[in-house]
Amino acid sequence: MQAIAALGAVILMFVIGFEFKIEDLTNVKYGIIGLIVIIVPWIGGYFVSLAFGFSPESALFIGTALTATSIAITANVLKEMCLFDAEFSKAIIGTAVIDDILSLLALSITADVASGTFSFGGLAFIIAKQIGFLVLIALIGVFFISKMILRMDESPISKKYPEFVFIFAVMIAFLFAALAEFIGISAIIGAFIAGVSFNGINLKHSHDISEGADYLYIIFASEFFVSLGILVDLSALTGPVLIFIAVITVIAIISKVVGCGIPARLLGYSNRDSLAIGFGMSPRGEVAMIVALMGLNLSLIGQDIYASIVVMSILTTVITPIAFRNWLFKKEVKACIAGEQGMQ
């Protein structure tokens, strides 16, 4: 199950990548918010975990899990509530993309620190290497492989075998994932960059890449989430752990709302839009679970922390639609629901 789940995590991020354009990674405002919203939850999660008596290594992983944002969950919430085209929604999505890349870079650093292989002297080199790699494969994907796919689409083999281009695209996604793992970044980042690179490709003779990836997503992503549940030992949820879950969930929400809301307000967004960006960035979802799974596999966290992160991820995922539907955008959501019912 874990072996299949590893494929599921790669395919999951590959599919999520189709929701975004490469321009989403270069907006200065999104970069500023994304950087601040990495620092605040990381610090909050780290010191709260230390206060509960966890080791510094475990506290680092908990802090890293709090930096994550589930792009897929947030995007689906915005789409279902007819808010996807709003300006603050673009800010949420763009910031979430940058946030996840930075949080997964933080994960690589955290793993090195926790395993004792980290040194401050090599920090700049590690960051430069990882960012340079991401820029390189993004450029290769957008300016070389995407054009290659368009040429392949016009070839006789694609006209005869319309699934050929899709198979090639999946191969590239796993190649990027393998190279990312080799460089020292999580494989899911490489797959995500592959998905972003292929976004917007219009094929004439071949099967749509994103549609084909969705079929893989249905199969393998389900296995991924099942594997997360299998690893949870409910007996670890004792009284002190439940208290820790409640505290860390509150910290997870507040740190995102404050970490996003304040810089967003300073950058010119309205009060409501700033709060929306903060709550929109709150769901940790599958990304925090991936962080927890990595920590568990490396034996750097125990079942109590793993179960806590999984439950926290679920709770923060529930908060966002509630805040949007019942508070921030109550009228807009009602109009959206009424419009959909009228169409039916």
Side-chain angles (χ1 to χ4, degrees):
M1 182 65 75
Q2 284 182 311
I4 298 174
L7 298 178
V10 171
I11 292 170
L12 176 66
M13 295 305 289
F14 178 52
V15 172
I16 290 173
F18 284 104
E19 299 292 332
F20 308 100
K21 298 178 181 179
I22 201 70
E23 292 82 8
D24 295 331
L25 308 180
T26 59
N27 188 296
V28 176
K29 285 187 177 182
Y30 304 161
I32 294 173
I33 300 173
L35 180 60
I36 296 175
V37 85
I38 282 289
I39 297 172
V40 175
W42 199 358
I43 293 174
Y46 177 76
F47 284 106
V48 167
S49 302
L50 289 180
F52 272 84
F54 292 112
S55 67
E57 293 80 8
S58 298
L60 280 173
F61 260 93
I62 295 171
T64 304
L66 262 62
T67 65
T69 297
S70 174
I71 305 173
I73 292 172
T74 300
N76 284 333
V77 169
L78 293 171
K79 188 174 182 179
E80 289 175 3
M81 296 186 179
C82 304
L83 300 171
F84 202 76
D85 294 328
E87 182 62 31
F88 74 88
S89 296
K90 297 177 183 178
I92 292 174
I93 299 302
T95 304
V97 172
I98 296 172
D99 177 71
D100 271 359
I101 291 176
L102 292 176
S103 64
L104 291 169
L105 289 175
L107 173 60
S108 300
I109 296 172
T110 299
D112 289 343
V113 172
S115 60
T117 60
F118 174 81
S119 65
F120 284 102
L123 177 60
F125 173 74
I126 292 172
I127 295 176
K129 178 182 70 172
Q130 294 181 348
I131 293 178
F133 169 76
L134 294 176
V135 172
L136 177 62
I137 63 171
L139 293 175
I140 292 174
V142 172
F143 295 106
F144 178 68
I145 296 179
S146 295
K147 293 181 180 180
M148 181 188 297
I149 287 176
L150 290 174
R151 289 195 295 269
M152 290 169 59
D153 181 52
E154 297 291 342
S155 67
I157 189 172
S158 293
K159 295 177 181 178
K160 186 176 181 180
Y161 302 104
E163 68 278 4
F164 178 76
V165 167
F166 166 70
I167 294 172
F168 176 78
V170 173
M171 182 195 75
I172 295 298
F174 278 99
L175 174 62
F176 279 15
L179 290 174
E181 194 76 21
F182 177 76
I183 291 293
I185 312 174
S186 174
I188 60 176
I189 299 184
F192 174 77
I193 295 296
V196 174
S197 301
F198 301 152
N199 181 24
I201 297 179
N202 295 316
L203 303 175
K204 296 180 180 179
H205 307 290
S206 305
H207 290 321
D208 184 69
I209 299 174
S210 61
E211 182 180 353
D214 282 336
Y215 291 117
L216 290 179
Y217 170 85
I218 292 170
I219 300 171
F220 288 100
S222 301
E223 299 291 341
F224 169 70
F225 288 109
V226 170
S227 73
L228 294 174
I230 287 175
L231 292 173
V232 174
D233 182 4
L234 294 178
S235 64
L237 298 178
T238 59
V241 175
L242 292 175
I243 295 173
F244 174 70
I245 291 173
V247 173
I248 205 68
T249 300
V250 172
I251 294 297
I253 296 171
I254 292 176
S255 62
K256 286 287 186 178
V257 172
V258 173
C260 287
I262 292 177
R265 187 69 184 91
L266 294 175
L267 290 171
Y269 291 94
S270 66
N271 290 332
R272 187 174 74 160
D273 286 357
S274 298
L275 287 171
I277 293 171
F279 278 104
M281 294 284 289
S282 293
R284 281 7 183 238
E286 73 286 345
V287 183
M289 293 179 185
I290 290 172
V291 174
L293 182 61
M294 181 175 291
L296 188 65
N297 289 338
L298 293 173
S299 300
L300 296 172
I301 62 174
Q303 266 292 338
D304 51 352
I305 297 177
Y306 176 76
S308 299
I309 293 176
V310 171
V311 175
M312 177 274 296
S313 300
I314 295 171
L315 293 176
T316 54
T317 298
V318 172
I319 288 297
T320 295
I322 292 176
F324 278 21
R325 182 183 295 271
N326 299 317
W327 178 35
L328 291 172
F329 300 99
K330 191 173 182 179
K331 293 182 180 179
E332 289 83 348
V333 173
K334 284 185 178 180
C336 175
I337 295 173
E340 290 179 349
Q341 293 175 345
M343 291 177 65
Q344 293 175 358

